[in-house]
Amino acid sequence: MRRLTRTVAAAALATTLALVGACSDGSDSSDDKGGSGGAREKVTYLTSFGNFGRDSYAWVAKEKGFFSEAGFDVDIKPGQGTGAVIQTIVGGQADFGPIDLTGGLLQLGNGQAKDFVAVAAIQQRTMAGIATLEGKAIASPKDLEGKKLADTPGSVVRNLFPTYAKMAGVDPAKVQWVNGDAQSLIGTLATGQVDGIGQFVVGQPTIEGVAKKKAVMLPYSNVMQDLYGNVLITSSKIAKEKPEMVKKFTAALMKGLEYSLANPQEAAQILKKNVDATNVDSAAAELQLMAGYVRSSNSGTALGTLDAGRVAKSIAILQGAGTLKQNIAPEQIIDFSLTPKA
């Protein structure tokens, strides 16, 4: 009888220890890194510039579950251009966001910003440009002289304009810039308050939808062909302290980008669901135009790749135009250990 009692007690103790061990294992995996069954890590993501079709891939990554599958609970907020996105991320109010790489080079090389790194390319070619409307007598870069343009102060279009002007034979002193914000720029152009606006070239369908006139685009890539477009950035602190988290987030965002390009109409509908002011047709058209900028012969089939040689060429272009005060290396702005591989 005593042997039976000891046997039952031992079995009960073993069961208790097993349950305690199981609970302990479960609590270890339920950390804020989003393990199996665990709480998802909260992340704040900024779009590049307002909430247009070109930025819908982040909403798609959230809606389709790509972020949650990777362990993230993502809050998406509208960005206000390269300078503002950098400041917000470095300041700790956001974790990730896209900026134009050339704008980032100018910010870093001219001492306007630091402590951020790029971890993936969104577009392999710059989409920066000037947008105007038929009837404004602007058909070439030279026609911008004597005109009034609007953009956000930190926009890459505005900050890169002196370089573009020099290479295109335009006197930048003869072009007036006024301030605007991301969501109201197109309306400013449509109502005739300005002659042109800084805008990514894929914004053409949205501009025509608002203005009810044909848009005229002056892409910077016509005179600066080696420049990358938007890149995903994070703070240097996050990149150093959470490299695996950065890789997981980047992979989830790239899935959203790839899905959006393959399904532009659905992506536009998802954007509309989250941003009521969205014009679905214009948003889908933006994605269709953007597809040609996302991949290049250098990137192969993989999304997000960055090449040190091409970045060095971009730096050389800016230095040759006299718009980069400091000599910088590609590794100062890109963490190649975190970028997708071709």
Side-chain angles (χ1 to χ4, degrees):
M1 184 69 181
R2 285 196 298 271
R3 284 198 300 270
L4 177 59
T5 301
R6 285 198 298 270
T7 301
V8 171
L13 177 60
T15 301
T16 301
L17 291 173
L19 288 172
V20 170
C23 291
S24 175
D25 289 345
S27 64
D28 285 345
S29 65
S30 298
D31 57 18
D32 62 0
K33 294 183 184 296
S36 177
R40 294 192 294 273
E41 184 167 8
K42 293 187 180 298
V43 167
T44 299
Y45 174 90
L46 298 177
T47 67
S48 65
F49 197 71
N51 283 310
F52 298 103
R54 71 203 74 158
D55 272 301
S56 61
Y57 55 89
W59 293 106
V60 169
K62 183 172 182 175
E63 183 79 13
K64 304 300 289 187
F66 302 149
F67 284 145
S68 60
E69 289 168 6
F72 300 108
D73 178 8
V74 180
D75 182 18
I76 303 172
K77 296 182 177 180
Q80 287 289 329
T82 293
V85 170
I86 292 173
Q87 289 176 8
T88 306
I89 289 175
V90 171
Q93 290 83 44
D95 304 293
F96 295 93
I99 67 165
D100 188 275
L101 179 58
T102 307
L105 288 169
L106 290 170
Q107 292 265 320
L108 181 65
N110 293 329
Q112 297 168 309
K114 60 179 181 177
D115 299 328
F116 69 95
V117 290
V119 295
I122 306 298
Q123 294 110 22
Q124 294 289 323
R125 291 186 296 132
T126 183
M127 300 195 306
I130 304 294
T132 184
L133 298 171
E134 278 193 341
K136 295 287 187 181
I138 301 174
S140 69
K142 190 69 174 174
D143 296 330
L144 294 172
E145 293 182 356
K147 301 297 194 297
K148 181 192 292 186
L149 308 178
D151 204 348
T152 60
S155 165
V156 65
V157 175
R158 190 165 175 175
N159 289 332
L160 189 54
F161 184 76
T163 306
Y164 169 75
K166 182 174 182 179
M167 297 181 71
V170 177
D171 183 353
K174 294 181 179 180
V175 180
Q176 180 187 0
W177 284 93
V178 296
N179 294 337
D181 64 74
Q183 293 298 132
S184 65
L185 275 178
I186 294 176
T188 303
L189 176 63
T191 55
Q193 298 174 57
V194 294
D195 301 301
I197 58 174
Q199 190 74 196
F200 281 172
V201 294
V202 297
Q204 182 172 350
T206 302
I207 293 169
E208 292 177 346
V210 172
K212 309 303 180 187
K213 292 181 180 179
K214 184 173 177 57
V216 177
M217 311 300 292
L218 300 178
Y220 282 9
S221 60
N222 285 354
V223 296
M224 296 180 287
Q225 298 178 0
D226 285 319
L227 304 184
Y228 277 95
N230 275 357
V231 294
L232 178 68
I233 69 162
T234 187
S235 68
S236 300
K237 184 176 188 294
I238 290 176
K240 181 180 180 180
E241 296 179 357
K242 298 183 175 183
E244 292 306 312
M245 173 266 212
V246 173
K247 290 180 181 178
K248 288 180 181 179
F249 182 87
T250 300
L253 187 67
M254 292 298 107
K255 286 179 70 175
L257 177 60
E258 187 166 35
Y259 190 94
S260 299
L261 297 179
N263 305 277
Q265 198 68 30
E266 182 184 353
Q269 292 285 356
I270 290 173
L271 181 62
K272 173 69 175 179
K273 178 181 176 181
N274 291 278
V275 182
D276 187 60
T278 299
N279 180 306
V280 172
D281 291 338
S282 296
E286 282 199 12
L287 284 169
Q288 289 170 328
L289 287 173
M290 192 173 84
Y293 290 83
V294 171
R295 286 187 171 93
S296 74
S297 58
N298 292 27
S299 68
T301 58
L303 296 183
T305 62
L306 284 160
D307 179 76
R310 279 193 61 201
V311 178
K313 287 183 180 179
S314 299
I315 294 171
I317 289 172
L318 298 176
Q319 288 175 328
T323 53
L324 201 60
K325 295 177 182 177
Q326 302 174 23
N327 183 27
I328 57 177
E331 291 76 14
Q332 289 177 257
I333 194 169
I334 297 168
D335 190 331
F336 289 101
S337 70
L338 300 178
T339 59
K341 308 307 176 200

PDB file of all heavy atoms in Angstrom, residues 153-186:
ATOM      1  N   PRO A 153       9.004  71.174 -47.800  1.00  0.00           N
ATOM      2  CA  PRO A 153      10.401  71.590 -47.656  1.00  0.00           C
ATOM      3  C   PRO A 153      11.395  70.437 -47.650  1.00  0.00           C
ATOM      4  O   PRO A 153      12.506  70.566 -48.142  1.00  0.00           O
ATOM      5  CB  PRO A 153      10.402  72.333 -46.316  1.00  0.00           C
ATOM      6  CG  PRO A 153       9.001  72.793 -46.139  1.00  0.00           C
ATOM      7  CD  PRO A 153       8.141  71.723 -46.734  1.00  0.00           C
ATOM      8  N   GLY A 154      11.003  69.268 -47.115  1.00  0.00           N
ATOM      9  CA  GLY A 154      11.933  68.148 -47.021  1.00  0.00           C
ATOM     10  C   GLY A 154      11.852  67.162 -48.161  1.00  0.00           C
ATOM     11  O   GLY A 154      12.486  66.114 -48.133  1.00  0.00           O
ATOM     12  N   SER A 155      11.073  67.484 -49.188  1.00  0.00           N
ATOM     13  CA  SER A 155      10.901  66.558 -50.309  1.00  0.00           C
ATOM     14  C   SER A 155      12.183  66.403 -51.109  1.00  0.00           C
ATOM     15  O   SER A 155      12.929  67.359 -51.322  1.00  0.00           O
ATOM     16  CB  SER A 155       9.793  67.060 -51.228  1.00  0.00           C
ATOM     17  OG  SER A 155       9.822  66.390 -52.471  1.00  0.00           O
ATOM     18  N   VAL A 156      12.426  65.178 -51.597  1.00  0.00           N
ATOM     19  CA  VAL A 156      13.606  64.947 -52.424  1.00  0.00           C
ATOM     20  C   VAL A 156      13.529  65.736 -53.720  1.00  0.00           C
ATOM     21  O   VAL A 156      14.552  66.188 -54.246  1.00  0.00           O
ATOM     22  CB  VAL A 156      13.794  63.446 -52.714  1.00  0.00           C
ATOM     23  CG1 VAL A 156      12.647  62.901 -53.552  1.00  0.00           C
ATOM     24  CG2 VAL A 156      15.114  63.198 -53.420  1.00  0.00           C
ATOM     25  N   VAL A 157      12.333  65.903 -54.272  1.00  0.00           N
ATOM     26  CA  VAL A 157      12.196  66.656 -55.525  1.00  0.00           C
ATOM     27  C   VAL A 157      12.748  68.068 -55.344  1.00  0.00           C
ATOM     28  O   VAL A 157      13.501  68.568 -56.185  1.00  0.00           O
ATOM     29  CB  VAL A 157      10.724  66.706 -55.975  1.00  0.00           C
ATOM     30  CG1 VAL A 157      10.582  67.589 -57.220  1.00  0.00           C
ATOM     31  CG2 VAL A 157      10.202  65.306 -56.269  1.00  0.00           C
ATOM     32  N   ARG A 158      12.398  68.671 -54.248  1.00  0.00           N
ATOM     33  CA  ARG A 158      12.836  70.039 -53.982  1.00  0.00           C
ATOM     34  C   ARG A 158      14.325  70.102 -53.643  1.00  0.00           C
ATOM     35  O   ARG A 158      15.055  70.964 -54.133  1.00  0.00           O
ATOM     36  CB  ARG A 158      12.007  70.621 -52.840  1.00  0.00           C
ATOM     37  CG  ARG A 158      12.203  72.110 -52.623  1.00  0.00           C
ATOM     38  CD  ARG A 158      11.080  72.628 -51.747  1.00  0.00           C
ATOM     39  NE  ARG A 158      11.246  74.022 -51.404  1.00  0.00           N
ATOM     40  CZ  ARG A 158      10.354  74.733 -50.727  1.00  0.00           C
ATOM     41  NH1 ARG A 158       9.230  74.161 -50.332  1.00  0.00           N
ATOM     42  NH2 ARG A 158      10.566  75.997 -50.440  1.00  0.00           N
ATOM     43  N   ASN A 159      14.786  69.168 -52.809  1.00  0.00           N
ATOM     44  CA  ASN A 159      16.190  69.187 -52.410  1.00  0.00           C
ATOM     45  C   ASN A 159      17.137  68.781 -53.531  1.00  0.00           C
ATOM     46  O   ASN A 159      18.297  69.202 -53.563  1.00  0.00           O
ATOM     47  CB  ASN A 159      16.396  68.271 -51.201  1.00  0.00           C
ATOM     48  CG  ASN A 159      15.780  68.840 -49.932  1.00  0.00           C
ATOM     49  OD1 ASN A 159      15.656  70.048 -49.784  1.00  0.00           O
ATOM     50  ND2 ASN A 159      15.372  67.976 -49.028  1.00  0.00           N
ATOM     51  N   LEU A 160      16.636  67.972 -54.444  1.00  0.00           N
ATOM     52  CA  LEU A 160      17.460  67.530 -55.565  1.00  0.00           C
ATOM     53  C   LEU A 160      17.382  68.487 -56.750  1.00  0.00           C
ATOM     54  O   LEU A 160      18.157  68.379 -57.702  1.00  0.00           O
ATOM     55  CB  LEU A 160      17.015  66.127 -55.997  1.00  0.00           C
ATOM     56  CG  LEU A 160      17.848  65.352 -57.025  1.00  0.00           C
ATOM     57  CD1 LEU A 160      19.307  65.260 -56.602  1.00  0.00           C
ATOM     58  CD2 LEU A 160      17.251  63.971 -57.252  1.00  0.00           C
ATOM     59  N   PHE A 161      16.472  69.443 -56.682  1.00  0.00           N
ATOM     60  CA  PHE A 161      16.254  70.324 -57.821  1.00  0.00           C
ATOM     61  C   PHE A 161      17.513  71.062 -58.273  1.00  0.00           C
ATOM     62  O   PHE A 161      17.761  71.166 -59.488  1.00  0.00           O
ATOM     63  CB  PHE A 161      15.137  71.330 -57.534  1.00  0.00           C
ATOM     64  CG  PHE A 161      14.808  72.206 -58.712  1.00  0.00           C
ATOM     65  CD1 PHE A 161      14.072  71.720 -59.786  1.00  0.00           C
ATOM     66  CD2 PHE A 161      15.258  73.522 -58.771  1.00  0.00           C
ATOM     67  CE1 PHE A 161      13.777  72.502 -60.886  1.00  0.00           C
ATOM     68  CE2 PHE A 161      14.977  74.325 -59.869  1.00  0.00           C
ATOM     69  CZ  PHE A 161      14.235  73.815 -60.934  1.00  0.00           C
ATOM     70  N   PRO A 162      18.347  71.605 -57.381  1.00  0.00           N
ATOM     71  CA  PRO A 162      19.555  72.290 -57.861  1.00  0.00           C
ATOM     72  C   PRO A 162      20.450  71.392 -58.714  1.00  0.00           C
ATOM     73  O   PRO A 162      21.024  71.845 -59.714  1.00  0.00           O
ATOM     74  CB  PRO A 162      20.254  72.710 -56.565  1.00  0.00           C
ATOM     75  CG  PRO A 162      19.151  72.849 -55.579  1.00  0.00           C
ATOM     76  CD  PRO A 162      18.199  71.743 -55.912  1.00  0.00           C
ATOM     77  N   THR A 163      20.562  70.103 -58.332  1.00  0.00           N
ATOM     78  CA  THR A 163      21.358  69.161 -59.117  1.00  0.00           C
ATOM     79  C   THR A 163      20.710  68.913 -60.472  1.00  0.00           C
ATOM     80  O   THR A 163      21.364  68.940 -61.524  1.00  0.00           O
ATOM     81  CB  THR A 163      21.512  67.828 -58.368  1.00  0.00           C
ATOM     82  OG1 THR A 163      22.043  68.078 -57.072  1.00  0.00           O
ATOM     83  CG2 THR A 163      22.427  66.880 -59.122  1.00  0.00           C
ATOM     84  N   TYR A 164      19.398  68.663 -60.447  1.00  0.00           N
ATOM     85  CA  TYR A 164      18.651  68.454 -61.682  1.00  0.00           C
ATOM     86  C   TYR A 164      18.758  69.673 -62.594  1.00  0.00           C
ATOM     87  O   TYR A 164      18.999  69.554 -63.804  1.00  0.00           O
ATOM     88  CB  TYR A 164      17.185  68.176 -61.340  1.00  0.00           C
ATOM     89  CG  TYR A 164      16.243  68.186 -62.521  1.00  0.00           C
ATOM     90  CD1 TYR A 164      16.213  67.134 -63.429  1.00  0.00           C
ATOM     91  CD2 TYR A 164      15.358  69.252 -62.712  1.00  0.00           C
ATOM     92  CE1 TYR A 164      15.330  67.145 -64.509  1.00  0.00           C
ATOM     93  CE2 TYR A 164      14.475  69.258 -63.779  1.00  0.00           C
ATOM     94  CZ  TYR A 164      14.466  68.207 -64.670  1.00  0.00           C
ATOM     95  OH  TYR A 164      13.592  68.226 -65.739  1.00  0.00           O
ATOM     96  N   ALA A 165      18.589  70.854 -62.013  1.00  0.00           N
ATOM     97  CA  ALA A 165      18.641  72.086 -62.805  1.00  0.00           C
ATOM     98  C   ALA A 165      19.996  72.251 -63.470  1.00  0.00           C
ATOM     99  O   ALA A 165      20.080  72.592 -64.664  1.00  0.00           O
ATOM    100  CB  ALA A 165      18.321  73.287 -61.914  1.00  0.00           C
ATOM    101  N   LYS A 166      21.056  72.027 -62.720  1.00  0.00           N
ATOM    102  CA  LYS A 166      22.404  72.184 -63.280  1.00  0.00           C
ATOM    103  C   LYS A 166      22.623  71.229 -64.444  1.00  0.00           C
ATOM    104  O   LYS A 166      23.154  71.620 -65.493  1.00  0.00           O
ATOM    105  CB  LYS A 166      23.454  71.947 -62.195  1.00  0.00           C
ATOM    106  CG  LYS A 166      24.890  72.134 -62.682  1.00  0.00           C
ATOM    107  CD  LYS A 166      25.886  72.042 -61.546  1.00  0.00           C
ATOM    108  CE  LYS A 166      27.311  72.275 -62.053  1.00  0.00           C
ATOM    109  NZ  LYS A 166      28.301  72.215 -60.935  1.00  0.00           N
ATOM    110  N   MET A 167      22.192  69.976 -64.277  1.00  0.00           N
ATOM    111  CA  MET A 167      22.407  68.980 -65.322  1.00  0.00           C
ATOM    112  C   MET A 167      21.476  69.180 -66.517  1.00  0.00           C
ATOM    113  O   MET A 167      21.781  68.760 -67.629  1.00  0.00           O
ATOM    114  CB  MET A 167      22.227  67.577 -64.737  1.00  0.00           C
ATOM    115  CG  MET A 167      23.247  67.239 -63.656  1.00  0.00           C
ATOM    116  SD  MET A 167      23.072  65.575 -62.961  1.00  0.00           S
ATOM    117  CE  MET A 167      23.633  64.583 -64.365  1.00  0.00           C
ATOM    118  N   ALA A 168      20.336  69.849 -66.279  1.00  0.00           N
ATOM    119  CA  ALA A 168      19.365  70.076 -67.350  1.00  0.00           C
ATOM    120  C   ALA A 168      19.504  71.458 -67.990  1.00  0.00           C
ATOM    121  O   ALA A 168      18.729  71.806 -68.881  1.00  0.00           O
ATOM    122  CB  ALA A 168      17.951  69.907 -66.810  1.00  0.00           C
ATOM    123  N   GLY A 169      20.467  72.258 -67.517  1.00  0.00           N
ATOM    124  CA  GLY A 169      20.683  73.581 -68.105  1.00  0.00           C
ATOM    125  C   GLY A 169      19.683  74.625 -67.667  1.00  0.00           C
ATOM    126  O   GLY A 169      19.356  75.551 -68.421  1.00  0.00           O
ATOM    127  N   VAL A 170      19.202  74.499 -66.430  1.00  0.00           N
ATOM    128  CA  VAL A 170      18.221  75.438 -65.884  1.00  0.00           C
ATOM    129  C   VAL A 170      18.885  76.286 -64.799  1.00  0.00           C
ATOM    130  O   VAL A 170      19.685  75.775 -64.010  1.00  0.00           O
ATOM    131  CB  VAL A 170      17.020  74.677 -65.279  1.00  0.00           C
ATOM    132  CG1 VAL A 170      16.031  75.642 -64.632  1.00  0.00           C
ATOM    133  CG2 VAL A 170      16.339  73.823 -66.340  1.00  0.00           C
ATOM    134  N   ASP A 171      18.556  77.575 -64.756  1.00  0.00           N
ATOM    135  CA  ASP A 171      19.041  78.451 -63.694  1.00  0.00           C
ATOM    136  C   ASP A 171      18.084  78.323 -62.512  1.00  0.00           C
ATOM    137  O   ASP A 171      16.958  78.837 -62.550  1.00  0.00           O
ATOM    138  CB  ASP A 171      19.092  79.898 -64.166  1.00  0.00           C
ATOM    139  CG  ASP A 171      19.666  80.843 -63.108  1.00  0.00           C
ATOM    140  OD1 ASP A 171      19.902  80.389 -61.967  1.00  0.00           O
ATOM    141  OD2 ASP A 171      19.865  82.027 -63.421  1.00  0.00           O
ATOM    142  N   PRO A 172      18.486  77.631 -61.424  1.00  0.00           N
ATOM    143  CA  PRO A 172      17.566  77.428 -60.297  1.00  0.00           C
ATOM    144  C   PRO A 172      17.145  78.726 -59.621  1.00  0.00           C
ATOM    145  O   PRO A 172      16.094  78.788 -58.980  1.00  0.00           O
ATOM    146  CB  PRO A 172      18.369  76.528 -59.348  1.00  0.00           C
ATOM    147  CG  PRO A 172      19.801  76.753 -59.709  1.00  0.00           C
ATOM    148  CD  PRO A 172      19.807  77.035 -61.184  1.00  0.00           C
ATOM    149  N   ALA A 173      17.961  79.766 -59.754  1.00  0.00           N
ATOM    150  CA  ALA A 173      17.611  81.054 -59.137  1.00  0.00           C
ATOM    151  C   ALA A 173      16.401  81.686 -59.802  1.00  0.00           C
ATOM    152  O   ALA A 173      15.767  82.582 -59.231  1.00  0.00           O
ATOM    153  CB  ALA A 173      18.805  82.002 -59.212  1.00  0.00           C
ATOM    154  N   LYS A 174      16.065  81.235 -60.999  1.00  0.00           N
ATOM    155  CA  LYS A 174      14.920  81.793 -61.723  1.00  0.00           C
ATOM    156  C   LYS A 174      13.641  80.986 -61.500  1.00  0.00           C
ATOM    157  O   LYS A 174      12.629  81.224 -62.157  1.00  0.00           O
ATOM    158  CB  LYS A 174      15.240  81.861 -63.216  1.00  0.00           C
ATOM    159  CG  LYS A 174      16.362  82.832 -63.560  1.00  0.00           C
ATOM    160  CD  LYS A 174      16.608  82.877 -65.055  1.00  0.00           C
ATOM    161  CE  LYS A 174      17.721  83.869 -65.400  1.00  0.00           C
ATOM    162  NZ  LYS A 174      17.987  83.918 -66.869  1.00  0.00           N
ATOM    163  N   VAL A 175      13.704  80.016 -60.585  1.00  0.00           N
ATOM    164  CA  VAL A 175      12.531  79.197 -60.265  1.00  0.00           C
ATOM    165  C   VAL A 175      12.123  79.460 -58.826  1.00  0.00           C
ATOM    166  O   VAL A 175      12.945  79.372 -57.916  1.00  0.00           O
ATOM    167  CB  VAL A 175      12.832  77.700 -60.461  1.00  0.00           C
ATOM    168  CG1 VAL A 175      11.602  76.861 -60.119  1.00  0.00           C
ATOM    169  CG2 VAL A 175      13.295  77.414 -61.888  1.00  0.00           C
ATOM    170  N   GLN A 176      10.861  79.825 -58.615  1.00  0.00           N
ATOM    171  CA  GLN A 176      10.367  80.115 -57.259  1.00  0.00           C
ATOM    172  C   GLN A 176       9.726  78.875 -56.654  1.00  0.00           C
ATOM    173  O   GLN A 176       8.871  78.237 -57.284  1.00  0.00           O
ATOM    174  CB  GLN A 176       9.339  81.249 -57.301  1.00  0.00           C
ATOM    175  CG  GLN A 176       8.777  81.608 -55.920  1.00  0.00           C
ATOM    176  CD  GLN A 176       7.637  82.610 -55.987  1.00  0.00           C
ATOM    177  OE1 GLN A 176       7.251  83.063 -57.071  1.00  0.00           O
ATOM    178  NE2 GLN A 176       7.067  82.948 -54.835  1.00  0.00           N
ATOM    179  N   TRP A 177      10.132  78.534 -55.430  1.00  0.00           N
ATOM    180  CA  TRP A 177       9.526  77.426 -54.698  1.00  0.00           C
ATOM    181  C   TRP A 177       8.701  77.953 -53.536  1.00  0.00           C
ATOM    182  O   TRP A 177       9.117  78.865 -52.829  1.00  0.00           O
ATOM    183  CB  TRP A 177      10.599  76.483 -54.155  1.00  0.00           C
ATOM    184  CG  TRP A 177      11.214  75.591 -55.188  1.00  0.00           C
ATOM    185  CD1 TRP A 177      12.349  75.819 -55.909  1.00  0.00           C
ATOM    186  CD2 TRP A 177      10.730  74.316 -55.616  1.00  0.00           C
ATOM    187  NE1 TRP A 177      12.599  74.770 -56.762  1.00  0.00           N
ATOM    188  CE2 TRP A 177      11.625  73.823 -56.601  1.00  0.00           C
ATOM    189  CE3 TRP A 177       9.631  73.533 -55.262  1.00  0.00           C
ATOM    190  CZ2 TRP A 177      11.442  72.597 -57.233  1.00  0.00           C
ATOM    191  CZ3 TRP A 177       9.445  72.305 -55.885  1.00  0.00           C
ATOM    192  CH2 TRP A 177      10.340  71.844 -56.857  1.00  0.00           C
ATOM    193  N   VAL A 178       7.509  77.383 -53.342  1.00  0.00           N
ATOM    194  CA  VAL A 178       6.681  77.706 -52.182  1.00  0.00           C
ATOM    195  C   VAL A 178       6.341  76.397 -51.471  1.00  0.00           C
ATOM    196  O   VAL A 178       6.413  75.318 -52.056  1.00  0.00           O
ATOM    197  CB  VAL A 178       5.387  78.445 -52.590  1.00  0.00           C
ATOM    198  CG1 VAL A 178       5.715  79.788 -53.213  1.00  0.00           C
ATOM    199  CG2 VAL A 178       4.541  77.599 -53.540  1.00  0.00           C
ATOM    200  N   ASN A 179       5.982  76.522 -50.195  1.00  0.00           N
ATOM    201  CA  ASN A 179       5.719  75.333 -49.392  1.00  0.00           C
ATOM    202  C   ASN A 179       4.321  74.776 -49.613  1.00  0.00           C
ATOM    203  O   ASN A 179       3.359  75.518 -49.829  1.00  0.00           O
ATOM    204  CB  ASN A 179       5.905  75.644 -47.900  1.00  0.00           C
ATOM    205  CG  ASN A 179       7.335  75.961 -47.546  1.00  0.00           C
ATOM    206  OD1 ASN A 179       8.262  75.571 -48.251  1.00  0.00           O
ATOM    207  ND2 ASN A 179       7.529  76.663 -46.443  1.00  0.00           N
ATOM    208  N   GLY A 180       4.226  73.466 -49.525  1.00  0.00           N
ATOM    209  CA  GLY A 180       2.944  72.773 -49.586  1.00  0.00           C
ATOM    210  C   GLY A 180       3.039  71.513 -48.756  1.00  0.00           C
ATOM    211  O   GLY A 180       4.106  71.180 -48.254  1.00  0.00           O
ATOM    212  N   ASP A 181       1.913  70.805 -48.579  1.00  0.00           N
ATOM    213  CA  ASP A 181       1.982  69.517 -47.883  1.00  0.00           C
ATOM    214  C   ASP A 181       1.510  68.415 -48.825  1.00  0.00           C
ATOM    215  O   ASP A 181       0.881  68.664 -49.853  1.00  0.00           O
ATOM    216  CB  ASP A 181       1.151  69.525 -46.596  1.00  0.00           C
ATOM    217  CG  ASP A 181      -0.332  69.700 -46.861  1.00  0.00           C
ATOM    218  OD1 ASP A 181      -0.968  68.736 -47.319  1.00  0.00           O
ATOM    219  OD2 ASP A 181      -0.858  70.812 -46.606  1.00  0.00           O
ATOM    220  N   ALA A 182       1.825  67.172 -48.450  1.00  0.00           N
ATOM    221  CA  ALA A 182       1.664  66.038 -49.358  1.00  0.00           C
ATOM    222  C   ALA A 182       0.261  65.913 -49.930  1.00  0.00           C
ATOM    223  O   ALA A 182       0.082  65.719 -51.135  1.00  0.00           O
ATOM    224  CB  ALA A 182       2.063  64.748 -48.629  1.00  0.00           C
ATOM    225  N   GLN A 183      -0.751  66.012 -49.091  1.00  0.00           N
ATOM    226  CA  GLN A 183      -2.112  65.732 -49.546  1.00  0.00           C
ATOM    227  C   GLN A 183      -2.750  66.883 -50.319  1.00  0.00           C
ATOM    228  O   GLN A 183      -3.709  66.672 -51.059  1.00  0.00           O
ATOM    229  CB  GLN A 183      -2.997  65.372 -48.347  1.00  0.00           C
ATOM    230  CG  GLN A 183      -2.619  64.057 -47.676  1.00  0.00           C
ATOM    231  CD  GLN A 183      -2.754  62.851 -48.590  1.00  0.00           C
ATOM    232  OE1 GLN A 183      -1.855  62.031 -48.684  1.00  0.00           O
ATOM    233  NE2 GLN A 183      -3.859  62.739 -49.280  1.00  0.00           N
ATOM    234  N   SER A 184      -2.231  68.117 -50.175  1.00  0.00           N
ATOM    235  CA  SER A 184      -2.880  69.252 -50.834  1.00  0.00           C
ATOM    236  C   SER A 184      -2.140  69.745 -52.080  1.00  0.00           C
ATOM    237  O   SER A 184      -2.624  70.642 -52.768  1.00  0.00           O
ATOM    238  CB  SER A 184      -3.029  70.419 -49.848  1.00  0.00           C
ATOM    239  OG  SER A 184      -1.758  70.916 -49.467  1.00  0.00           O
ATOM    240  N   LEU A 185      -0.966  69.168 -52.369  1.00  0.00           N
ATOM    241  CA  LEU A 185      -0.164  69.660 -53.496  1.00  0.00           C
ATOM    242  C   LEU A 185      -0.915  69.600 -54.817  1.00  0.00           C
ATOM    243  O   LEU A 185      -0.897  70.558 -55.606  1.00  0.00           O
ATOM    244  CB  LEU A 185       1.132  68.852 -53.612  1.00  0.00           C
ATOM    245  CG  LEU A 185       2.312  69.289 -52.749  1.00  0.00           C
ATOM    246  CD1 LEU A 185       3.485  68.349 -52.971  1.00  0.00           C
ATOM    247  CD2 LEU A 185       2.712  70.722 -53.044  1.00  0.00           C
ATOM    248  N   ILE A 186      -1.551  68.479 -55.082  1.00  0.00           N
ATOM    249  CA  ILE A 186      -2.236  68.318 -56.370  1.00  0.00           C
ATOM    250  C   ILE A 186      -3.368  69.330 -56.499  1.00  0.00           C
ATOM    251  O   ILE A 186      -3.575  69.920 -57.570  1.00  0.00           O
ATOM    252  CB  ILE A 186      -2.745  66.876 -56.529  1.00  0.00           C
ATOM    253  CG1 ILE A 186      -1.554  65.915 -56.620  1.00  0.00           C
ATOM    254  CG2 ILE A 186      -3.622  66.746 -57.774  1.00  0.00           C
ATOM    255  CD1 ILE A 186      -1.934  64.452 -56.687  1.00  0.00           C
TER     256      ILE A 186
END
